[in-house]
Amino acid sequence: MQKTTPFRLTLLVLSLSLAGCAVGPAYQRPSTPEPVAYKSLEGWVPAAPADALERGPWWQLFGDPQLDALAASVEVSNQNVAAAVANYAQARALVQQERAALFPTVSLNLSGDRSGVRGQGASSGYRLNLGGSWEPDVWGRLRAGVTSAQAGAEASAADLASARLAAQGELASNYFTIRALDAQRTLLERTISGYERELQITQNRFNVGIAARTDVLQAQTQLASARSDALTLARQRAQFEHAIAILVGKAASEFTLAPTPEWRVTVPEVPVGVPATLLQRRPDIAAAERDVAAANAEIGIARSAYFPNIGLSGSLGTSGSRVGDLFSLSNAAWSFGLSAAQSIFNAGATRASVAGAEARHQAAVARYRQTVLNAFADVEDQLTATRVLAQQQDLRRQASEAADLVEQQIMNRYRAGQVGYTDVVQAQVTALNARRALVQVQSDRQTVAVALIQSLGGGWHAGAQP
């Protein structure tokens, strides 16, 4: 019978390693419900080109240079985004760490000592040793670890995209809210000026005995309420300005957003593709799917415990009483070893580990499917809001124009002595509320456009790396 040498054992282990007896299940993306079209798209055809979100930052669709500058600063200054960048770097480092386990480990040791007995002199000893060890990936455990780490890194990349998209979307929403508050403040300033004139006219009418004192008191109440509303708007604007400061990484005391002289309302037509493309565009869906892939790889890692761990080790060393002896071949010694270790009894721990990994995979699949369902519902919600708000804006404009005419007619009738001042107050309140409601619905349309872009995943694609 031919003797088996260490070299032949090494070749045997290498052949098994290269054969790659993977014990993990092959990964397949879980199935999800994919509707053919969005229900809320019926009768609504976007005018924008289908690739509009791919040509550059999505916020440029609103045509606001100040928003463009603020949104760009989120990329480098927002601390939540910075944390997500660091998490992604950590995940990539973990991939490199897992890959390193596929290769041999080589170490070099050099030592020296001097010892002796009192009265008998002393002696010196030097040792130089070059050693190495390698665990061949016979059962695919190490490759499964790399696969899991890689999926985790890709999920981290998707989380980074989610953090960036969330911060940019919140910034845009806050910015449009501030512009709407500025527009409402302008309306109130005009209204306050009108109330001041009406108060003066009513005071003059009271002084000559044409009007009752209650008319003057009502005019004063209207004016004071309008001024109070203006202060409320100023407080709300300051809060949103502080929120934007945090999003761009600045202290609230160091950030100021000047009012614009005129608010230009731009609501872009957001291109909406077929529902299936949502699975590639939403970073949260991509992160959930990559988590499923990582969980699938961990099943293979757990199953590999059923098989023995095989290791190779070797060393080459020299020793001597002088440093020069370390480089003499006559003092060299070598060793080579092959080891295999297998757990014989662990009270079902391996079986429990495999069951736990399979359960984690099932949970990840459920979370992925739930994320997909939520994403489709989110798009439907924003599409519905987009259509309804467009219709409401037309109705709010009609209501505002009609309320302005009623206010003017009631004021003329009051000056002619045909109605009381209470009718004037009611007409003024109705007209002001109608104007503010029109401004609010215009702001809501912009905010919903931002939310729709976010629900569609912005300009991100699954598999894209920062």
Side-chain angles (χ1 to χ4, degrees), residues 316-439:
L316 175 64
T318 61
S319 62
S321 59
R322 295 177 302 175
V323 175
D325 296 338
L326 298 179
F327 303 97
S328 175
L329 293 178
S330 61
N331 295 328
W334 62 272
S335 67
F336 175 80
L338 172 65
S339 64
Q342 173 64 45
S343 176
I344 302 300
F345 175 76
N346 59 12
T350 301
R351 183 172 62 254
S353 178
V354 173
E358 292 174 344
R360 181 189 180 281
H361 177 262
Q362 294 172 1
V365 170
R367 286 192 298 268
Y368 168 68
R369 289 171 174 163
Q370 186 64 40
T371 302
V372 172
L373 292 175
N374 291 339
F376 284 128
D378 191 13
V379 174
E380 293 285 2
D381 289 344
Q382 305 311 325
L383 288 174
T384 300
T386 299
R387 184 183 68 253
V388 171
L389 287 173
Q391 297 171 354
Q392 284 184 332
Q393 178 176 293
D394 294 336
L395 297 175
R396 291 294 186 186
R397 181 176 288 108
Q398 296 175 18
S400 178
E401 293 171 354
D404 290 342
L405 292 176
V406 171
E407 179 187 20
Q408 186 60 46
Q409 291 177 3
I410 292 296
M411 182 57 65
N412 293 337
R413 294 181 63 187
Y414 169 73
R415 292 172 181 174
Q418 297 177 355
V419 296
Y421 199 79
T422 300
D423 295 330
V424 174
V425 171
Q426 292 176 349
Q428 289 175 335
V429 170
T430 300
L432 178 59
N433 290 339
R435 298 186 200 109
R436 295 182 64 177
L438 176 59
V439 171

Side-chain angles (χ1 to χ4, degrees), residues 53-54 165 277-283 456-462:
L53 291 179
E54 309 306 325
L165 182 61
T277 61
L278 190 68
L279 302 182
Q280 285 77 41
R281 297 191 59 87
R282 288 267 299 217
L456 294 172
W460 192 84
H461 280 284

Side-chain angles (χ1 to χ4, degrees), residues 96-116:
Q96 296 299 324
Q97 180 180 343
E98 292 291 338
R99 282 178 178 166
L102 294 172
F103 300 91
T105 300
V106 180
S107 60
L108 178 64
N109 297 319
L110 176 64
S111 64
D113 60 74
R114 186 172 177 82
S115 61

Side-chain angles (χ1 to χ4, degrees), residues 69-405:
L70 290 172
S73 64
V74 169
E75 182 79 17
V76 295
S77 302
N78 185 269
Q79 297 307 304
N80 289 332
V81 174
V85 170
N87 290 337
Y88 176 61
Q90 182 181 10
R92 293 185 63 184
L94 181 60
V95 174
Q96 296 299 324
Q97 180 180 343
E98 292 291 338
R99 282 178 178 166
L102 294 172
F103 300 91
T105 300
V106 180
S107 60
L108 178 64
N109 297 319
L110 176 64
S111 64
D113 60 74
R114 186 172 177 82
S115 61
V117 180
R118 186 174 181 180
Q120 298 182 8
S123 62
S124 300
Y126 300 94
R127 285 168 294 278
L128 177 64
N129 185 75
L130 178 65
S133 62
W134 180 41
E135 181 183 351
D137 193 20
V138 178
W139 316 117
R141 178 178 62 85
L142 299 180
R143 289 193 301 277
V146 173
T147 301
S148 177
Q150 181 64 41
E154 292 169 354
S156 182
D159 290 338
L160 170 57
S162 292
R164 183 186 294 116
L165 182 61
Q168 292 167 344
E170 185 178 357
L171 170 71
S173 297
N174 291 344
Y175 178 83
F176 291 136
T177 300
I178 284 182
R179 293 311 178 207
L181 292 173
D182 289 341
Q184 291 194 39
R185 180 67 182 269
T186 300
L187 287 177
L188 273 177
E189 289 175 349
R190 296 173 183 171
T191 301
I192 289 172
S193 297
Y195 286 175
E196 290 173 344
R197 292 192 299 270
E198 294 301 329
L199 175 59
Q200 185 61 49
I201 294 173
T202 306
Q203 183 68 49
N204 294 336
R205 289 168 60 87
F206 169 71
N207 292 338
V208 297
I210 300 177
R213 180 167 176 76
T214 55
D215 294 352
V216 177
L217 295 176
Q218 286 180 311
Q220 291 175 342
T221 300
Q222 280 285 90
L223 178 59
S225 297
R227 287 172 174 171
S228 177
D229 290 344
L231 293 176
T232 299
L233 292 180
R235 175 180 59 83
Q236 293 174 344
R237 188 189 193 281
Q239 291 175 340
F240 282 101
E241 190 177 69
H242 300 161
I244 290 179
I246 295 174
L247 290 170
V248 298
K250 294 184 178 180
S253 58
E254 299 176 354
F255 178 81
T256 301
L257 186 62
T260 55
E262 184 177 356
W263 182 36
R264 186 182 64 179
V265 181
T266 301
V267 182
E269 294 287 357
V270 180
V272 182
V274 296
T277 61
L278 190 68
L279 302 182
Q280 285 77 41
R281 297 191 59 87
R282 288 267 299 217
D284 57 338
I285 292 179
E289 187 271 333
R290 289 291 82 198
D291 187 48
V292 174
N296 185 80
E298 290 174 4
I299 295 176
I301 297 175
R303 288 179 180 176
S304 66
Y306 284 120
F307 303 91
N309 292 329
I310 299 176
L312 296 175
S313 63
S315 66
L316 175 64
T318 61
S319 62
S321 59
R322 295 177 302 175
V323 175
D325 296 338
L326 298 179
F327 303 97
S328 175
L329 293 178
S330 61
N331 295 328
W334 62 272
S335 67
F336 175 80
L338 172 65
S339 64
Q342 173 64 45
S343 176
I344 302 300
F345 175 76
N346 59 12
T350 301
R351 183 172 62 254
S353 178
V354 173
E358 292 174 344
R360 181 189 180 281
H361 177 262
Q362 294 172 1
V365 170
R367 286 192 298 268
Y368 168 68
R369 289 171 174 163
Q370 186 64 40
T371 302
V372 172
L373 292 175
N374 291 339
F376 284 128
D378 191 13
V379 174
E380 293 285 2
D381 289 344
Q382 305 311 325
L383 288 174
T384 300
T386 299
R387 184 183 68 253
V388 171
L389 287 173
Q391 297 171 354
Q392 284 184 332
Q393 178 176 293
D394 294 336
L395 297 175
R396 291 294 186 186
R397 181 176 288 108
Q398 296 175 18
S400 178
E401 293 171 354
D404 290 342
L405 292 176

